[in-house]
């Protein structure tokens, strides 16, 4: 009887320990990929940083390419929860905003926050893509995911009737400005704050993409002042 009582507890504890081990491995892999590059990072180094054996990493992730892929999944979401990116609460809130100017300002703020989290990793992957097949494949997949996500955002922006450009132009302009390169240049290299960058990016999108942006931004700022 005692054994039957202990088994569920032991299984729950083992699952929790396995998840924490996986998190430690992914944190170590992310940091090493960013610090020294994907190509230079070995499974042995990740194991040492995570405090596990190389065999544990192989048992969990099979190979370095799978480890890279799973590290990206955690990096893009900010955690290891199995929630589709466009169904995360902060993204749902952006998509639900009816005023397109406000939506783009919200999107710019969110994009800036994700750029800070994701850009170092993205730059590491792209830097290794020329010599590492798995990095090249990952880079292509990341760009495909980003284009698919922004296609949804552009389609929903067009559905508001407030765009002054085509859905395709909206998609392409936002896509071109959210790969992390522009954020890196202005924030990391030129010293802008994230707040300054997000406000500039949002206003740029509103001016380029929204009908009568002066009125919309003035109304937004007046509403903020009244709060």
């Amino acid at each position: 009887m005692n054994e039957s009582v202990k088994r569920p507890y032991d299984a729950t504890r083992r699952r929790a320990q396995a998840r924490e081990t996986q998190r430690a491995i992914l944190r170590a892999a992310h940091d090493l990929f960013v610090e020294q590059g994907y190509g230079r990072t070995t499974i042995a180094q990740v194991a040492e940083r995570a405090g596990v054996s190389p065999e544990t990493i192989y048992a969990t992730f099979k190979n370095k390419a799978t480890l890279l892929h799973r590290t990206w999944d955690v990096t893009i979401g900010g955690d290891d929860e199995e929630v589709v990116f466009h169904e995360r609460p902060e993204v749902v809130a952006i998509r639900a905003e009816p005023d397109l100017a406000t939506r783009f300002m919200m999107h710019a703020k969110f994009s800036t926050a994700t750029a800070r989290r994701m850009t170092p990793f993205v730059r590491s992957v792209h830097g290794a893509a020329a010599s590492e097949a798995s990095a090249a494949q990952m880079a292509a997949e990341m760009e495909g995911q980003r284009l698919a996500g922004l296609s949804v955002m552009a389609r929903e922006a067009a559905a508001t009737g407030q765009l002054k450009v085509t859905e395709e132009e909206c998609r392409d302009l936002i896509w071109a400005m959210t790969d992390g390169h522009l954020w890196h240049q202005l924030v990391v290299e030129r010293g802008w704050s994230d707040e300054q960058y997000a406000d500039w990016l949002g206003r740029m999108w509103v001016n380029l993409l929204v009908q009568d942006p002066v009125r919309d931004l003035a109304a937004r700022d007046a509403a903020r002042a009244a709060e």
Side-chain angles (χ1 to χ4, degrees), residues 33 38 43 61-71 133-135 137-138:
F33 291 158
Y38 172 74
I43 292 292
F61 298 100
K62 308 304 181 186
N63 53 50
K64 187 179 170 184
T66 303
L67 178 60
L68 174 67
H69 197 289
R70 187 69 186 109
T71 303
S134 55
Q137 183 178 355
M138 186 74 260

Side-chain angles (χ1 to χ4, degrees), residues 159-185:
T160 67
Q162 300 169 52
L163 272 181
K164 70 178 179 182
V165 300
T166 65
E167 176 185 327
E168 291 75 19
E169 186 174 345
C170 173
R171 176 201 63 205
D172 292 348
L173 283 171
I174 296 176
W175 173 82
M177 300 173 79
T178 54
D179 66 350
H181 182 68
L182 190 58
W183 174 86
H184 184 85
Q185 284 187 307

Side-chain angles (χ1 to χ4, degrees), residues 32-44:
L32 285 168
F33 291 158
V34 170
E35 290 169 14
Q36 61 187 33
Y38 172 74
R40 297 188 186 92
T41 299
T42 66
I43 292 292

Side-chain angles (χ1 to χ4, degrees), residues 78-90:
D79 55 48
D80 61 353
E81 298 297 328
E82 304 250 342
V83 180
V84 178
F85 190 74
H86 273 73
E87 294 179 3
R88 288 178 174 267
E90 57 269 46

